[in-house]
Amino acid sequence: MNLFTESNLSPDLLKAIGELGYEQPTEIQKQTIPFILSDTRDLIALAATGTGKTAAFSLPILDMIDDASRKIQLLVLCPTRELCLQITKDIKNYTKYLPNLKTTAVYGGSSITDQIRSLREKPQIIVGTPGRVIDLIGRKALDFSEIHWLVLDEADEMLSMGFKDDLETILNETPSEKQTLLFSATMSKEVERITKNYLTNPHRISVGSINEVKKNIKHEYYVVGYRQKKEALKRLLDANPNQYSIIFCRTRMETQEVADFLMQNAYAADALHGDLSQAQRDTVMKKFRLKNIDILVATDVAARGLDVNSLTHVIHYSLPDDPEVFVHRSGRTGRAGKDGISMSLIKPEESRKLKQIKLSTKIEIVEKKIPTGEEIIKAQVEGVFEKLFTEHEELFTFDDSLIPDLSAFSKEELVHQLLQLQLRDLALFYKDKQDLADQKLSNDRDDRGSRRDRDRDRGRGRERDRDRGDRSERRSDRDGGRERGGKPKRRNENMTRFFFNLGKRDNLKKMDMLEIINKATAKSKKRADIGDIEILEKFSFFEVEKSFKDEVLKGLQTQKFKGKDMRAEVAN
Ligand code: AMP
């Protein structure tokens, strides 16, 4: 059943929204549609993008607008070009069966002459960004002296983007007996001021859902010192593989800095902020929508125009001052029935700000520790399997004969081997890294000296460890290859166990060892049985069928591995 039918909207509008699949009015629509249809008072509606606010204000107005007149009757002002295009598209969809109603979008960063040309069609509806609207008024291409409705959409954003003077200029071009409808996600002081000066006796509507805290979002916070923030961010990204997320920063400079850091570290990331040209912003948003990049670093304002539903994470690289902005940012994830995670990086001195956010939003934000290298590798392994079984699309045909003989490996060994390959860079990065939780939290400059000392000490410690490792390995060498746990291995009577002079540090892998043995015994008609292969740090052990002993010893002498001589001895 289409519950819009009870709203008294005309059949042409009902047909159009029915085709769009709207079945029931959203909360804001339930409140605004009857109000606008029946009341001439001004309106303040607290509602954010995603609540259905465009339809909330446009449907009742479209119902009342005079399509026989060629005068501009409705002006919608909004902060960004993206929103401007979105609203225009929505209105054009709603007016599909009202062919005499014309809507024109006017916004910066696009040819003004083309826009002037399209205004010659005499649209009754203008959707515009403040700067361009003023330019067009200046060129006498727009005349708002007879509008009936003025919509200020995302008023808080327009004001925080510095459009206050522009708004006042435009408002002064409009008649006093119009109805002004102001939509805002937050009620900032500036918004209050505008409403006091330009709205008369407004009716107020607030939709719980805009800043209603979504239950399907988990909120976490991490305390890190200023100097550790970027590394902490890297760890959070690494510990959450397969993510599609927005990282919110406070300033354009910070946004660019963080994005640069991520790009330098080979993440598919990019920046979105006001210092970029419109064309650059469009490109970045397109890349993000198409998932050519999966991490977007953005300012609050720049991210406004972006409407994506499948974000897995929202990361607050810097906390906003306004708790409502925190809710709004976080609400970008957990959409379309999916769960979401919001993670905040908090400097120690920001705990009061966090407390204030918790108090005023009543969100439960749980403290977590920055993941350790070990936890990251674990998460990455899980991520590989998650991807393995969800993104399975056969893009090429694969000839099984290309797979070498892998019978010497167990299934687990093969998986280990593939994971080692896949996660090699990451594992190398975290190998000797001290975990952030062990580092002292400090923004203090003196800390730099002491950290350097600590690093030096750590370096020495590692060297000591390495010496110790050498000694124990040599000992096991003499033992002829005990398991690292010290338990003697049960030997296969038909096999000879060999000591081999190269190991992990020579980049020797099990696969290489197999190939070396196969080559050494290639002349023989019969294939040698190969047993256990154990690659240690500096050398290795392997087992080959007894009768191939001499062949192996000789065959190895003529080979080189990555330029290095090789040598095998029978292990005692
Ligand atoms: P908005 O808050 O205006 O940006 O709208 C968010 C999204 O909800 C848009 O994609 C609209 O097309 C859609 N929408 C608006 N109203 C309804 C409704 N009553 N039923 C289903 N979808 C809607």
Side-chain angles (χ1 to χ4, degrees), residues 67-262:
D67 66 353
S69 157
R70 310 298 320 169
K71 295 249 162 73
I72 298 173
Q73 293 164 61
L74 164 63
L75 167 63
V76 182
L77 290 174
C78 61
T80 63
R81 163 193 147 117
E82 288 74 28
L83 189 58
C84 178
L85 289 168
Q86 182 63 43
I87 295 170
T88 308
K89 193 177 110 208
D90 286 349
I91 293 182
K92 286 190 172 165
N93 282 334
Y94 304 148
T95 53
K96 187 173 168 194
Y97 298 106
L98 296 165
N100 294 329
L101 274 186
K102 297 263 179 295
T103 308
T104 299
V106 294
Y107 46 85
S110 189
S111 155
I112 195 163
T113 40
D114 287 353
Q115 289 174 3
I116 292 175
R117 201 169 306 125
S118 63
L119 289 173
R120 295 204 188 112
E121 273 195 48
K122 300 263 172 220
Q124 294 96 338
I125 302 162
I126 299 291
V127 185
T129 51
R132 180 53 60 96
V133 165
I134 292 213
D135 286 350
L136 289 164
I137 292 175
R139 294 188 186 213
K140 306 250 174 294
L142 278 178
D143 173 14
F144 297 121
S145 61
E146 294 192 39
I147 61 166
H148 298 299
W149 299 276
L150 170 68
V151 174
L152 300 173
D153 196 12
E154 302 209 347
D156 51 348
E157 278 309 313
M158 287 199 280
L159 292 169
S160 71
M161 283 170 78
F163 284 136
K164 181 169 162 281
D165 293 345
D166 287 354
L167 283 184
E168 293 186 345
T169 308
I170 299 168
L171 283 160
N172 289 329
E173 293 286 322
T174 60
S176 52
E177 61 284 2
K178 65 185 180 293
Q179 185 176 27
T180 304
L181 312 165
L182 179 143
F183 287 78
S184 188
T186 59
M187 208 60 207
S188 61
K189 281 197 194 75
E190 288 78 15
V191 177
E192 279 294 354
R193 207 171 305 131
I194 279 275
T195 59
K196 278 214 180 73
N197 294 339
Y198 291 94
L199 273 68
T200 11
N201 184 26
H203 175 62
R204 286 177 187 255
I205 287 176
S206 168
V207 187
S209 67
I210 41 145
N211 282 336
E212 182 197 5
V213 174
K214 292 197 206 158
K215 298 278 183 296
N216 56 338
I217 301 175
K218 259 201 334 217
H219 291 267
E220 304 170 349
Y221 76 93
Y222 299 83
V223 182
V224 283
Y226 172 72
R227 288 172 196 291
Q228 302 169 318
K229 261 183 133 176
K230 288 204 188 84
E231 189 186 335
L233 176 67
K234 175 173 167 45
R235 282 175 181 257
L236 289 181
L237 294 175
D238 289 344
N240 292 277
N242 310 331
Q243 64 172 286
Y244 183 49
S245 51
I246 299 187
I247 300 173
F248 283 100
C249 295
R250 284 172 72 97
T251 63
R252 298 165 182 199
M253 212 170 87
E254 185 180 67
T255 306
Q256 192 61 54
E257 235 179 72
V258 171
D260 286 346
F261 165 78
L262 293 178

Side-chain angles (χ1 to χ4, degrees), residues 4 17 20-29 47-57 59 83 86-87 89-90 93-94 153-154 307 309 335:
F4 272 107
I17 59 176
L20 291 171
Y22 295 10
E23 288 179 356
Q24 295 198 30
T26 63
E27 195 47 45
I28 184 92
Q29 291 162 4
T49 299
T51 51
K53 67 182 163 59
T54 311
F57 65 74
L59 291 175
L83 189 58
Q86 182 63 43
I87 295 170
K89 193 177 110 208
D90 286 349
N93 282 334
Y94 304 148
D153 196 12
E154 302 209 347
D307 198 18
N309 277 332
R335 287 190 179 181

Side-chain angles (χ1 to χ4, degrees), residues 100 127 146 266 270 279 290 317 327 351 354 364 393 427 437 516 526:
N100 294 329
V127 185
E146 294 192 39
D270 214 334
L290 293 174
Y317 186 77
V327 179
S351 54
L354 177 77
E364 196 190 338
E393 193 187 347
I516 291 166
K526 190 178 156 269

Side-chain angles (χ1 to χ4, degrees), residues 498-503 508 513 516 538-542 556 561 565-569:
F498 293 88
F499 160 86
F500 184 63
N501 68 321
L502 304 177
L508 182 78
M513 195 72 249
I516 291 166
K538 297 185 170 177
F539 42 79
S540 309
F541 293 98
F542 61 84
L556 277 176
F561 178 72
D565 286 329
M566 25 175 130
R567 179 172 55 84
E569 292 165 18

